[in-house]
């Protein structure tokens, strides 16, 4: 049986190569993701390996609000001198020194803009002297309030030298300093992880980075001679309690490296997404290939049964054949994945200043996963055809070679059950709101998607017959239409490969189109501000507007009203979410066209908060109820819910009083400003004067509301570009599937094609007949994918109403492009099989057994 299986594989090299290519693509993306993750992970570890060599232990208070994205979003809790003394008194501690080191100090270059960063953090710290890690290279340490020292990486990036004036943005408005010194790090490093650091005198660092005096962000511990780090760490945790974190230098290095992996994780997830699509679509291709091969080898398999082969041997033969294909595909895919991972690591390293890429290595996980995906998926896909092969009776040796298509009742029942369950979850999600709705809709989408795929054979015959009507005016068109409807199961599996890809991208495109239209409708219909000042892309929550500059904006001739807004992460009740605050709530309410749903939103009195209606519903609170809010700074407070307002993307959060925000938000200054013009004023004349008033807030850009809408649209378009790439992968595999099916079909119908040619069907007509069959199958998959994807996309968009998606829209242009692309795919996929069918030797074809 082994020899027979090996001979079978070698006799069908081309068709099995086409099947293997789908697996190769999946393994390439999977192994590439693991190689990339391993290479850059080791690079980050090496980069931060010595970053905390001068620290034995570090004590810090746990943040009041864990935003989940590292230091950039969680405000540090200040430690007073009493805490420093308490740490110093613990047995084994030789020295305890308070220090300030907080992210958020942004240096301005000569052009007045923030010095660009390559992804590393921007730290403001207190100067604590030279250490084994940090050494002055030029100048002297900052000793006066108006002096700073900067790291060599920032000096080079911003073209600063000792004696220059440097402007710095922090939690307060812009301040200028003199560069007293430039420092570097051990190993002749200008920067660690691309960070930019500004070192102030201790009182200035405390004021600018912590908002007070006499406080520190952490306490650095130097151990007594002979004291063990583990025992002292345990003693400090016991002494200080659960509200503090005590970490070693090695742990701090690891945390810094882990934070730098955010970009890496995103790239890895994208590659794994491509792999998932490739593998999922490839399963249909492999199932179809083996099903057709088994149907064509019916006599051969029956003969083996007649000669004594058992059912177990028949199953083993098919699975062995699939295993050999999987091994070859896994090997090729692993090799390509190593190349893909190396290329990705090189490209990412070019965007990260100072990152040296570690030597390329193939982790054991990449090899293991490649084998599991390559061999496991191929054998799993071949299992059902193998079971079918085992059922071939010996009497079939005298029957026709091709087995007729059979009804698959189990598949139909399974698909129906999954579709009903998916529809039930979808309905449950659509009737709910908030995160619970999305949680119910997403599994519903998955189950409904699988159910439709399993039910595809049930609708393939009438569907392709209907689609084929567009081509039935000519004889080749009518023949192609009949051929596409001849074997519904084969047609369905072939079309499913394309259907999955098209449905996936249509779903995501529909969600993106709905979100985009929701934002555009709100900005054009509800936003009354003609000008908006907000942070540039990448500035995020660190962008700030000087309150004095905002007051100056209000005094500009032609400005009718202006309202500044600040956003932060807080814990509302037991959940972490975005909260907002407006320094002029009355003006903001008019600019955003907010209307009350319950209670009153006209005023925001001290001790009260407002919520959008869905947040209130999710929290289970109503007007008059008490709501506890923990802001980044200060203690947890209880507020009264004064009112709720209708959904709006620009104000879709909890609103707290401005007086509390200035004390409790991480950044007390507004990060955005909305400006309404007087009826007779024009944006073109007022905008330059607004920009001049905000010249000391270089992180914000003044834009028209149309430009703001375009900024949101650009983000959606970027997501859609990734989606189109996913479609590209699916279409490549779909082409392979259609080519494979048509090639095997032409071989299966050799005698029939010979007879058609013998009675007068020309070569051109033969080509058009096979091309029609291919186009009909492609269109069937695409039309089904568009219908399923648009329905599921609308369901997902509807469940995101509490996230600000208020409009349901379909991407009509993109759906038309998908259908046109499917037709083109059908034409291209048919070229090889059609050419082969047209060149058949008529005499040999009609006499073939």
């Amino acid at each position: 049986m082994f020899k027979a299986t090996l001979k079978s594989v070698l006799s069908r090299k081309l068709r099995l190569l086409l099947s293997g290519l789908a697996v190769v693509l999946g393994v390439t993306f999977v192994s590439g993701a693991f190689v990339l993750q391993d290479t850059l992970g080791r690079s980050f570890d090496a980069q931060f390996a010595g970053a905390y060599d001068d620290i034995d232990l570090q004590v810090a208070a746990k943040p009041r609000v864990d935003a989940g994205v590292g230091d950039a979003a969680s405000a540090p809790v200040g430690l007073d001198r009493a805490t420093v003394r308490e740490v110093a008194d613990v047995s084994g501690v030789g020295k305890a020194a308070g220090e300030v080191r907080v992210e958020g100090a942004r240096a301005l270059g000569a052009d007045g803009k923030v010095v660009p960063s390559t992804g590393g953090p921007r730290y403001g710290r207190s100067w604590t002297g030279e250490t084994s890690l940090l050494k002055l290279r030029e100048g002297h340490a900052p000793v006066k309030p108006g002096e700073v020292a900067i790291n060599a990486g920032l000096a080079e990036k911003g073209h600063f030298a000792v004696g220059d004036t440097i402007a710095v943005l922090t939690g307060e408005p812009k301040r200028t300093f003199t560069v007293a010194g430039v420092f570097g790090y051990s190993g002749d490093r200008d920067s660690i992880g691309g960070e930019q650091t500004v070192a102030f005198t201790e009182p200035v660092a405390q004021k600018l980075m912590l908002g007070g005096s006499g406080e520190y962000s952490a306490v650095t511990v130097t151990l007594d001679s002979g004291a063990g780090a583990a025992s002292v760490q345990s003693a400090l945790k016991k002494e200080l309690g659960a509200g503090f974190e005590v970490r070693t230098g090695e742990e701090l290095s690891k945390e810094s490296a882990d934070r730098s992996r955010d970009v890496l994780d995103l790239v890895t997830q994208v590659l794994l997404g491509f792999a998932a699509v490739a593998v999922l679509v490839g399963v249909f291709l492999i199932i179809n290939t083996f099903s057709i091969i088994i149907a064509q080898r019916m006599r051969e398999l029956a003969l083996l049964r007649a000669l004594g082969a058992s059912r177990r041997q028949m199953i083993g033969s098919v699975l062995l054949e699939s295993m050999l294909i999987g091994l070859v595909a896994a090997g090729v895919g692993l090799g390509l994945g190593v190349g893909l991972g190396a290329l990705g690591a090189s490209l990412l390293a070019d965007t990260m200043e100072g990152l040296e890429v570690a030597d390329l290595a193939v982790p054991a996980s990449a090899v293991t996963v490649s084998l599991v995906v390559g061999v496991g998926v191929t054998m799993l896909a071949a299992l059902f055809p193998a079971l079918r092969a085992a059922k071939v009776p010996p009497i079939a040796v005298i029957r026709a070679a091709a087995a007729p298509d059979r009804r698959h009742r189990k598949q139909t029942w399974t698909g129906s059950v999954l579709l009903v369950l998916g529809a039930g979850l979808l309905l449950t999600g659509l009737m709910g709101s908030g995160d619970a709705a999305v949680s119910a809709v997403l599994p519903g989408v998955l189950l409904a998607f699988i159910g439709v795929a399993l039910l595809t054979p049930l609708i393939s015959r009438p569907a392709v017959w209907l689609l084929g009507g567009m081509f039935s005016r000519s004889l080749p068109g009518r023949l192609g239409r009949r051929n596409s409807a001849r074997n519904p199961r084969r047609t369905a599996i072939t079309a499913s490969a394309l259907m999955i890809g098209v449905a996936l991208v249509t779903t995501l495109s529909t969600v993106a189109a709905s979100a985009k239209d929701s934002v555009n409708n709100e900005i054009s219909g509800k936003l009354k501000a003609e000008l908006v000042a907000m942070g540039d892309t990448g500035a995020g929550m660190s962008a700030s507007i000087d309150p004095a500059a905002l007051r100056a904006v209000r005094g500009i001739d032609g400005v009718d009203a202006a309202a500044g807004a600040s956003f932060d992460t807080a814990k509302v009740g037991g959940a972490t979410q975005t909260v907002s605050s407006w320094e002029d709530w009355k003006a903001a309410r008019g600019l955003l066209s907010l209307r009350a749903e319950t209670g009153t939103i006209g005023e925001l009195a001290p001790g009260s908060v407002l919520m959008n209606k869905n947040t209130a519903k999710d929290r289970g609170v109503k007007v008059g109820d008490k709501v506890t809010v923990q802001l980044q700074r200060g203690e947890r407070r209880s507020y009264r819910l004064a009112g709720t307002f209708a959904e709006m993307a620009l104000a879709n959060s909890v609103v707290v009083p401005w007086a509390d925000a200035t004390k409790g938000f991480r950044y007390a200054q507004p990060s955005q400003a909305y400006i309404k013009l007087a009826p007779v004023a024009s944006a073109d004349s007022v905008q330059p004067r607004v920009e001049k008033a905000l010249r000391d807030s270089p992180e914000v850009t003044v834009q028209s509301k149309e430009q703001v809408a375009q900024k949101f649209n650009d983000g959606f378009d970027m997501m859609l570009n990734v989606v189109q790439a996913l479609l590209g992968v699916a279409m490549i595999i779909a082409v392979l599937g259609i080519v494979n099916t048509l090639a095997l079909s032409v071989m299966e119908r050799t005698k029939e094609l010979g007879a058609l040619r013998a009675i007068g069907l020309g070569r051109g007509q033969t080509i058009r007949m096979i091309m029609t069959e291919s186009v009909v199958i492609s269109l069937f998959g695409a039309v089904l994918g568009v219908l399923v994807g648009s329905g599921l996309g609308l369901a997902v968009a509807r469940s995101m109403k509490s996230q600000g998606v208020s409009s349901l829209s379909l991407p009509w242009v993109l759906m038309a492009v998908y259908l046109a692309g499917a037709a083109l795919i059908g034409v291209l996929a048919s070229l090889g099989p059609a050419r082969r069918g047209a060149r058949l030797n008529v005499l040999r074809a009609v006499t073939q057994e």
Side-chain angles (χ1 to χ4, degrees):
M1 286 300 294
F2 177 79
K3 291 182 178 179
T5 301
L6 187 61
K7 184 176 181 181
S8 174
V9 173
L10 296 177
S11 66
R12 299 172 177 85
K13 292 185 285 290
L14 178 60
R15 71 188 72 167
L16 297 178
L17 172 64
L18 292 173
S19 300
L21 282 177
V23 182
V24 167
L25 284 173
V27 173
T28 297
F29 289 121
V30 170
S31 57
F34 279 90
V35 170
L36 175 67
Q37 192 173 45
D38 174 77
T39 302
L40 286 184
R42 287 184 290 108
S43 303
F44 288 134
D45 290 341
Q47 186 176 39
F48 290 99
Y52 295 90
D53 281 350
D54 57 339
I55 293 178
D56 291 331
L57 294 171
Q58 185 189 81
V59 177
K62 291 182 179 179
R64 292 185 174 91
V65 179
D66 185 2
V69 289
D71 290 343
S74 295
V77 177
L79 305 177
D80 57 20
R81 290 187 175 90
T83 304
V84 178
R85 290 193 295 270
E86 186 179 2
V87 170
D89 291 340
V90 173
S91 176
V93 175
K95 180 182 178 182
E99 69 167 0
V100 178
R101 187 170 184 264
V102 179
E103 190 171 352
R106 295 91 70 198
L108 306 183
D111 59 356
K113 300 294 183 182
V114 176
V115 175
S117 169
T118 53
R122 296 182 172 103
Y123 289 117
R125 62 169 297 172
S126 57
W127 179 263
T128 55
E130 294 182 303
T131 65
S132 59
L133 174 69
L134 183 151
K135 297 288 184 183
L136 276 170
R137 294 182 182 176
E138 301 176 38
H140 60 82
V143 293
K144 299 178 181 178
E147 293 180 337
V148 295
I150 61 175
N151 70 323
L154 173 57
E156 180 182 359
K157 198 78 174 177
H159 307 290
F160 296 114
V162 173
D164 287 350
T165 297
I166 183 172
V168 183
L169 293 173
T170 58
E172 296 192 0
K174 182 180 74 173
R175 286 187 56 177
T176 57
F177 300 87
T178 299
V179 178
V182 176
F183 59 88
Y185 301 97
S186 60
D188 199 32
R189 290 174 293 178
D190 294 340
S191 173
I192 298 177
E195 48 80 35
Q196 297 175 2
T197 298
V198 180
F200 309 93
T201 60
E202 184 176 285
V204 174
Q206 291 172 334
K207 178 70 167 62
L208 296 182
M209 306 311 301
L210 293 175
S213 61
E215 292 190 339
Y216 305 94
S217 61
V219 179
T220 301
V221 174
T222 303
L223 300 177
D224 265 337
S225 178
S231 60
V232 177
Q233 183 180 28
S234 178
L236 283 169
K237 288 181 178 179
K238 183 178 180 180
E239 176 68 24
L240 297 173
F244 291 82
E245 295 175 328
V246 184
R247 290 165 291 188
T248 64
E250 292 80 3
E251 291 171 339
L252 292 169
S253 295
K254 183 178 182 303
E255 287 181 12
S256 297
D258 290 344
R259 284 198 297 270
S260 298
R261 287 190 173 98
D262 288 345
V263 175
L264 173 59
D265 291 341
L266 177 62
V267 175
T268 302
Q269 290 168 10
V270 170
L271 289 177
L272 291 177
F274 284 126
V277 172
V279 170
L280 181 61
V281 177
V283 166
F284 288 89
L285 174 56
I286 296 167
I287 290 175
N288 209 24
T289 300
F290 276 93
S291 296
I292 297 173
I293 290 174
I294 287 170
Q296 292 179 348
R297 293 169 56 197
M298 195 67 70
R299 285 184 176 179
E300 175 189 334
L301 296 174
L303 181 60
L304 289 173
R305 290 295 312 280
L307 293 174
S310 65
R311 289 191 172 186
R312 179 177 297 180
Q313 287 178 310
M314 301 299 292
I315 295 174
S317 174
V318 177
L319 291 181
L320 177 60
E321 191 172 329
S322 66
M323 185 183 73
L324 294 175
I325 298 170
L327 281 172
V328 173
V332 175
L334 178 60
L336 294 175
V338 171
L340 179 64
L343 176 63
S346 177
L347 293 175
L348 282 176
D350 289 341
T351 66
M352 299 178 183
E353 184 180 346
L355 179 64
E356 294 185 7
V357 181
D359 294 334
L360 185 68
V362 182
S365 57
V367 178
T368 303
V369 174
S370 296
L371 289 174
V372 170
V373 171
V375 178
V377 168
T378 310
M379 293 184 68
L380 182 64
L383 179 61
F384 293 105
L387 293 175
R388 186 179 179 189
K391 295 179 181 179
V392 176
I395 194 66
V397 72
I398 62 175
R399 295 178 182 169
D405 188 52
R406 298 179 299 158
R407 296 181 180 229
H408 291 260
R409 294 179 179 176
K410 290 183 180 179
Q411 178 177 328
T412 301
W413 276 106
T414 303
S416 300
V417 170
L418 291 178
L419 182 59
V420 170
L421 288 176
L425 285 174
L426 284 173
L427 184 60
T428 301
L430 294 178
M431 293 174 64
S433 63
D435 296 338
V438 179
S439 300
V441 165
L442 293 182
V445 167
L446 179 61
L447 290 178
F449 190 80
I450 298 173
V452 170
L454 292 175
L455 291 174
T456 304
L458 196 65
I459 61 174
S460 63
R461 190 188 298 273
V464 298
W465 189 258
L466 181 63
L467 289 171
M470 296 184 294
F471 309 96
S472 59
R473 294 184 179 180
S474 63
L475 177 62
R478 289 194 294 274
L479 291 174
R481 178 191 190 188
R482 291 177 179 273
N483 288 336
S484 61
R486 177 184 296 185
N487 194 320
R489 184 170 180 273
R490 181 183 302 177
T491 298
I493 296 178
T494 305
S496 292
L498 186 58
M499 184 270 287
I500 290 172
V502 173
L504 176 63
V505 296
T506 303
T507 299
L508 296 177
S509 299
T510 301
V511 173
S514 298
K516 182 188 294 188
D517 284 353
S518 298
V519 172
N520 290 339
N521 291 341
E522 287 198 350
I523 291 177
S524 62
K526 295 183 179 180
L527 183 61
K528 302 304 181 185
E530 288 83 4
L531 296 175
V532 179
M534 62 171 49
D536 294 327
T537 302
M541 294 295 293
S542 64
S544 60
I545 298 175
D546 187 344
L550 187 57
R551 289 193 294 271
V553 168
R554 290 194 177 97
I556 294 175
D557 186 28
V559 172
D560 184 56
S566 187
F567 300 86
D568 206 351
T569 304
K571 186 173 289 185
V572 181
T576 301
Q577 71 166 79
T578 300
V579 295
S580 65
S581 188
W582 299 77
E583 49 86 48
D584 187 342
W585 172 246
K586 184 177 180 180
R589 187 169 53 85
L591 290 173
L592 299 178
S593 301
L594 292 180
R595 59 181 178 83
E597 289 287 331
T598 58
T600 176
I601 65 170
E603 300 292 339
L604 187 54
S608 62
V609 295
L610 304 175
M611 290 184 179
N612 64 298
K613 64 176 184 179
N614 276 336
T615 299
K617 182 178 179 181
D618 291 342
R619 299 285 179 269
V621 294
K622 59 184 182 298
V623 172
D625 287 351
K626 294 293 185 180
V627 179
T628 57
V629 179
Q630 173 64 68
L631 300 178
Q632 295 260 17
R633 302 181 188 276
E635 301 302 321
R636 181 185 293 267
R637 286 193 57 185
S638 178
Y639 292 87
R640 174 184 172 274
L641 180 60
T644 63
F645 52 86
E647 301 297 323
M648 185 182 184
L650 296 175
N652 198 22
S653 61
V654 176
V655 183
V656 301
W658 182 251
D660 294 343
T662 56
K663 298 176 182 178
F665 280 17
R666 181 169 188 190
Y667 299 105
Q669 302 176 81
S671 59
Q672 298 178 10
Y674 295 82
I675 304 159
K676 186 178 185 300
L677 304 183
V680 295
S682 68
D684 291 338
S685 63
V686 176
Q687 183 170 344
R689 286 178 282 166
V690 173
E691 290 173 344
K692 184 178 180 180
L694 297 177
R695 61 185 178 276
D696 287 338
S697 300
E699 292 172 304
V700 300
T701 302
V702 181
Q703 308 166 74
S704 66
K705 64 180 182 180
E706 290 76 18
Q707 290 173 318
V708 172
Q710 185 58 48
K711 193 172 183 178
F712 280 104
N713 292 342
D714 289 342
F716 292 124
D717 291 340
M718 185 180 298
M719 184 191 78
L720 285 176
N721 289 336
V722 177
V723 170
Q724 307 311 326
L726 282 172
L727 176 61
V729 173
M731 282 195 162
I732 289 173
I733 301 176
V735 168
L736 299 177
I738 296 171
V739 169
N740 216 8
T741 299
L742 291 177
L744 295 173
S745 181
V746 167
M747 293 178 61
E748 185 179 85
R749 305 201 309 259
T750 298
K751 189 170 185 178
E752 175 187 320
L753 289 173
L756 289 172
R757 291 292 312 284
I759 62 176
L761 191 69
R763 285 189 173 184
Q765 290 176 308
T766 303
I767 291 175
R768 291 199 299 276
M769 177 186 70
I770 296 175
M771 189 174 291
T772 298
E773 182 179 354
S774 176
V775 171
V776 168
I777 293 174
S778 296
L779 283 176
F780 170 51
V783 169
L784 187 59
V786 165
L787 292 175
V788 172
S790 58
L792 296 179
L794 290 174
V796 174
R798 172 63 181 80
S799 70
M800 296 173 65
K801 189 173 182 179
S802 62
Q803 281 77 33
V805 180
S806 56
S807 300
L808 298 180
S809 304
L810 289 173
W812 296 106
V813 175
L814 286 177
M815 290 192 296
V817 171
Y818 298 156
L819 295 176
L824 179 61
I825 288 296
V827 172
L828 295 176
S830 69
L831 294 179
R835 184 181 179 187
R836 180 175 181 178
R839 291 187 173 185
L840 285 175
N841 183 298
V842 176
L843 184 59
R844 289 181 181 176
V846 297
T847 57
Q848 177 175 299
E849 291 294 332

